[in-house]
Amino acid sequence: MRTHTSQAADRPAAAVIGDDGLDALIRALTEAGRRVLAPTEHAGAITIGDINGLADLPRGRGDVQAPGRYRLTETEDAGWFAHGPTAEGWKRFLYPPEECVWRAEAKGASWREEPTTTDDADSADTLALLGVRACDLAAVAVLDRVLGPEGAADPRYRARRERAVIVAVDCARPGGTCFCASMGTGPGAGDRYDLRLTPLADDPGSRFLVRAGSAAGADLLARLPARPADDAALAAAEATLNAAGQAMGRAMPADAEARLKRNLEHPRWNETAERCLTCGNCTSVCPTCFCSEVEDRSSLDGRRAERWRLWDSCFSVRFSYLHGGSVRESGAARYRQWITHKLAWWHDQFGTSGCVGCGRCITWCPVGIDITEEVAALPATAAAVPA
Amino acid sequence: MAKQPPRRPKLAVWKFASCDGCQLTLLDCEDELLEVAGHLTIAYFLEASRATLKGPYDLSLVEGSITTPDDAKRIQRIRRQSRTLVTIGACATAGGIQALRNFADVDDYVRQVYPRPEFIRTLPRSTPIRDHVRVDFELKGCPISRHQLLEVIAAFLAGRRPSIPEVSQCMECKRHGTPCVMVTRGLPCLGPVTQAGCGNLCPPLGRACYGCFGPMETPNTASLAGWFAASGTDSAAIRDLFRTYNAAAPAFRRESEAQARTTSSHADDA
C-alpha cells in the first residue's frame, strides 16, 4: 500500500476549509482523472455513487435509522455529510459483486487464455473515495488484511486499492443503529486515509478541519483554498468527535467474542432462526463480508469459457455444500456461523474483529434483527446447555 | 442433466395450461436464437414452426400446469419420449395463477363461466409437472428469465449442471445496489422469501417484489408475514400477496392458508 506519513514536513499539520475548499477538492480529484465516488441520494437513501461536482453531494439530508427501518430527513443546518452510514459501504467499488476472473477461448484443438477486463492494473479505475466514515475506513483496513498483500492477495482488489485516494470524513451524526465507539473504530477516522475531514462543531455542515495522512493527501491539501487551523478549530473538531461518541444509538458488549464462543449451543440460536429470513441482506451490506463463490460459464458452442467471482453469503444453503449435502441446513446454524465468524473466529483468523460497528446489518435486515441485541442476549458466563 | 448425446440433440417445446410467455422467452432470445438453432435441432416447437419431427427428443422444455385429465395422460407420453425433461415457468413448476382454483370449488367456477358446464372436463386442482412425472430440472419464474434459459440450454449441451441460484431476491437487489423498499418505504415485499433470477425488475422501480420466481431455498414466510402484520398489513392482504403466480408452491400455499385462518378468525370475532 501507499506510504503514509503523519504529515508533510513543510506544510501545516492541519487546515480549515469551507464550501470552496470542498469544491476545489472534488475538482482536483476529477481533474486528476479519478472516478470520484461519494455519498449520493438514490431511491430514498444516501448511498455511494459517482459525483461530478459539489452539487451532486447531498446537502442538508440526514437519516433516521432503526432496526429494519431507514428514512431520509431534512436536517436543520443545510450542510454536507449530515447523514449516518450510507446504505452500503465501499466494498462494491473495491471488490465488485460480480467480476470475471478468467477467460479462455478454444483455438483449434487447444485453448487460449484471454485477458479479462481487470487483469491489467492500468485498466482498473483510479478511484477517489470521498466521505469515507471511520467505520468504513476500518472496514477497508479489514479488507486489506483479507484481500490485500497480508491476506489472499486478490490482484484486482489490490490494483484498485493501491490506486485509490481516500478522503475520510469524520462522523458528526451517528445513526440510531451505530455502535462504532464500542468497537473502537470511530467516530474519528484512524489511519489509511489520504485526507481526513472533521466537521467543526460550531458549523458542522460547511467547515472542516483537514489533516493529511499521506504525501498524496498533503499535495492535495496544498492545492485547496484553506486557512491554517488555530486552537479554536482544533477544539471544535474535538468537540464534534466527543459529541458523536456520546450519540451512538447502540453498543456492542465488550466481551462479544467470549460470549459467543461460550454459548455455541444456546437456545437463543433457534429463537433467532425463527425470525431470520436467511435472505443474505446482512452479509451483503456488511462492509467486511468478503465471501464469494466462483461460477464457471460456458458458451452454447462450448468454445468459450469464463470464470466469475460472485458475492456469496453464508446464509445460502449452497455456501456450505460439501459432498452429500450442506453442512449448515438450519437457519440457526447459518446465523450462528455468520455472527460467530464476524465477532469471534475473525479474531483467530485475522487478528481483529470482523465487525466495525456501522450498524448496517441492523438497519437493512428486513425484519430488524439486531447484532448487538443478539450478543447481549447470550449470558456473559457459560450457559447451562439444555439437555 | 443427462450426458450430452452425440450430434445436434433434438429439442421439443411442450405447452400445457399456461399463457405461452415462457416458451416465447426462447423466441425472445433473438441474438442467441440462431446459435441455439445451430446446436439443437428444433424438432417440436409449435410457436416457432408447424413442421415437427417425431420423438424421441433429447431435451424437452415443458411449459404449463396440469389442469385436465387429458393433459395428465399427455405429460406421461411426453416424459416417455424425452431423454431430459426441464419444466419452465411458474405454471409448470408450481401450478401457476390458475392454481387459485385449488383454494375454491372448481365446479362453482365452471357453472358460473360456461353456459353448458357438462362439456367441461377439468381437474379440481392445477398441479405442477413434477406431481405427475419425473422432472430433471425446474426453471422457475413468471415468466422465466431469458438469461437463465440460455444457461440451462448451455449446461445441457456441455453436459454440466446449470448454475441457477436458489437464494433470495434480496441478493439481486444488493448486487444491483437497489436500496431495500421494505426498509426505506415500509412496503410489504416478498423479496426475502422469493428466489432470485428475474434480473431485479421491480424494486429498482420502487415496487415491492411480487414473488414471480416462487419460494427461495429456505423461505421463512412466517417471520416475513409477522413483520408485515406488525407494520400494519392485515391478514387478508398478506394472504393475497402469497396468492399470485406461485400460489400453490408449498411454502407460499401454507402461508396464505395460515393468513386465511387468521382472517376468518378475525371475521368471527367481529
Side-chain angles (χ1 to χ4, degrees), chain A residues 71 92 275 279 295 311 317, chain B residues 163 168 174-175 183 223:
Chain A
R71 293 291 185 278
R92 160 181 314 279
R275 298 172 62 205
C279 60
E295 182 180 286
W311 281 359
V317 172
Chain B
S163 178
S168 71
K174 289 297 178 283
R175 282 186 187 174
V183 173
S223 171

Side-chain angles (χ1 to χ4, degrees), chain A residues 42-45 67-71 92 97-98 273-281 284-285 293 295 298 300-301 304 310-313 315-318 334 363-364 366-368, chain B residues 32 35-36 39 150-151 153-155 157-158 160-165 167-168 170-171 173-180 182-186 192-193 216-218 220 223-224 227:
Chain A
H42 169 63
R69 188 180 161 85
Y70 179 108
R71 293 291 185 278
R92 160 181 314 279
E98 303 183 356
E274 284 181 18
R275 298 172 62 205
C276 178
L277 302 170
T278 63
C279 60
N281 271 299
S284 298
V285 296
E293 60 173 330
E295 182 180 286
S298 59
L300 285 167
D301 63 2
R304 279 163 289 146
L310 308 167
W311 281 359
D312 201 355
S313 171
F315 284 92
S316 83
V317 172
R318 197 162 72 170
R334 281 177 265 158
T363 299
W364 298 97
V367 292
Chain B
E32 297 86 356
E35 209 187 335
V36 170
H39 297 290
L150 286 168
E151 164 61 15
I153 293 172
L157 290 169
R160 63 173 170 83
R161 225 175 121 126
S163 178
I164 304 292
V167 296
S168 71
C170 303
M171 297 296 281
C173 267
K174 289 297 178 283
R175 282 186 187 174
H176 283 82
T178 306
C180 178
M182 276 185 75
V183 173
T184 58
R185 297 173 58 191
V193 296
M216 51 87 89
E217 55 189 8
T218 51
N220 189 345
S223 171
L224 188 67
W227 185 267

Side-chain angles (χ1 to χ4, degrees), chain A residues 114 127 141:
Chain A
E114 301 282 332
L127 303 176

